[in-house]
Amino acid sequence: MFVLGAFPGAINVVGWMAVNTYCAIVQGNFRNNHAGCHSIADMAQVVGGPWLKEVMGILFLVTWAIASASGIVGSSVALNALSNHALCTNYFLIIATIIIFILASVRKFEKIAWLTWAGFLSIYIAIFIVV
C-alpha cells in the first residue's frame, strides 16, 4: 500500500479478493460434483491421479509448515516487545510453538470457531488503532 498508494492499493486488494473468491467458487463446484473430494489433494487425484495427489500433499505440508513458522515468529516478535532480552525471545518462541501446536491439534473446525471471531476482532481493533 505504501508503494501503490491508496486508490491503486484498494483496487489491488479488491482484485486479489475477486481472484480468491473465483477460485473458491471453482473449488466448491468441483467438490460438489465429486463427492469423494475433501481437500485439494483429493481434487488433484481426480484430475491427475495418485502421483499428483502426493505432490499436492507434500506442497500442503510445506505450506502449513511455513504458515506455522510465520505464526510462531510473529507471536514471538509481538511478545518480545515486552522485553529486549534474547533469552526471553527463546522462551516466547517456545510458548508460541506450544500454543500453536495445541490449537493446530484440534481436528474439527466447530471446536475452534471462536478463534475466527477472536482473529476478526483483533484485526478490526488493530485497523481502528492505526487509522
Side-chain angles (χ1 to χ4, degrees), residues 40-95:
I40 299 291
D42 293 336
M43 293 178 194
Q45 183 174 10
V46 171
V47 173
W51 184 82
L52 188 59
K53 179 180 181 178
E54 294 302 320
V55 170
M56 290 304 296
I58 291 169
L59 289 175
F60 261 99
L61 289 175
V62 170
T63 301
W64 281 114
I66 292 170
S68 297
S70 173
I72 291 167
V73 171
S75 301
S76 172
V77 169
L79 291 172
N80 200 34
L82 304 173
S83 169
N84 287 329
H85 197 271
L87 192 57
C88 290
T89 304
N90 292 336
Y91 287 132
F92 290 145
L93 277 170
I94 292 169
I95 291 168

Side-chain angles (χ1 to χ4, degrees), residues 1-116:
M1 293 296 224
F2 178 74
V3 173
L4 292 176
F7 186 70
I11 291 174
N12 191 12
V13 169
V14 170
W16 282 111
M17 179 196 65
V19 169
N20 192 18
T21 302
Y22 175 74
C23 290
I25 290 170
V26 169
Q27 289 174 352
N29 290 338
F30 189 90
R31 191 229 179 268
N32 290 337
N33 292 332
H34 299 86
C37 294
H38 300 289
S39 69
I40 299 291
D42 293 336
M43 293 178 194
Q45 183 174 10
V46 171
V47 173
W51 184 82
L52 188 59
K53 179 180 181 178
E54 294 302 320
V55 170
M56 290 304 296
I58 291 169
L59 289 175
F60 261 99
L61 289 175
V62 170
T63 301
W64 281 114
I66 292 170
S68 297
S70 173
I72 291 167
V73 171
S75 301
S76 172
V77 169
L79 291 172
N80 200 34
L82 304 173
S83 169
N84 287 329
H85 197 271
L87 192 57
C88 290
T89 304
N90 292 336
Y91 287 132
F92 290 145
L93 277 170
I94 292 169
I95 291 168
T97 302
I98 291 169
I99 290 171
I100 288 176
F101 178 78
I102 289 170
L103 293 176
S105 296
V106 178
R107 301 286 293 175
K108 296 189 179 213
F109 281 125
E110 63 255 10
K111 304 290 184 198
I112 58 171
W114 62 273
L115 280 175
T116 304

